[in-house]
Amino acid sequence: MEITGRLVADATVRAVNDEKNVTGFRVAVNRNYKSQGEQKKETAYVECTYWRTDAIAPYLTKGMLVQLSGFMTAEPWVNRDGQPQASLKF
């Protein structure tokens, strides 16, 4: 699967064990469409994780346009009000 969007913040690096770091970032993906003759815009926010190297993190800065190829999942969760929600992970 491929997605294209803009980074909503600079990438961060976190340690997952003694030998491995992972780069995390969030991407806003826009979809434009027409509904009843009116132009609409919808934005989905996708949490992304890059496992190969953390050396890429300094290049992933807020506002940058990125195109990603990988695997996406939806993770369900319950908010503070007890309502079901879902997060997109790439």
Side-chain angles (χ1 to χ4, degrees):
M1 164 179 270
E2 290 187 0
I3 63 171
T4 301
R6 293 202 179 270
L7 297 177
V8 298
D10 293 349
T12 59
V13 176
R14 64 181 168 87
V16 290
N17 61 37
D18 292 338
E19 300 174 15
K20 188 75 173 168
N21 289 337
V22 64
T23 302
F25 50 97
R26 195 169 181 210
V27 176
V29 179
N30 293 322
R31 179 175 80 103
N32 297 315
Y33 64 97
K34 270 190 176 180
S35 176
Q36 299 177 351
E38 184 180 339
Q39 191 69 26
K40 303 268 185 169
K41 181 177 174 180
E42 183 177 85
T43 303
Y45 296 94
V46 182
E47 297 290 334
C48 301
T49 306
Y50 188 74
W51 289 89
R52 290 190 181 175
T53 178
D54 60 357
I56 195 170
Y59 302 101
L60 297 173
T61 57
K62 182 178 180 176
M64 173 181 269
L65 183 65
V66 293
Q67 184 173 19
L68 308 170
S69 179
F71 180 74
M72 187 178 298
T73 61
E75 293 187 8
W77 54 282
V78 178
N79 69 15
R80 293 180 191 165
D81 299 327
Q83 299 299 311
Q85 304 286 314
S87 297
L88 295 174
K89 307 275 184 176
F90 195 80

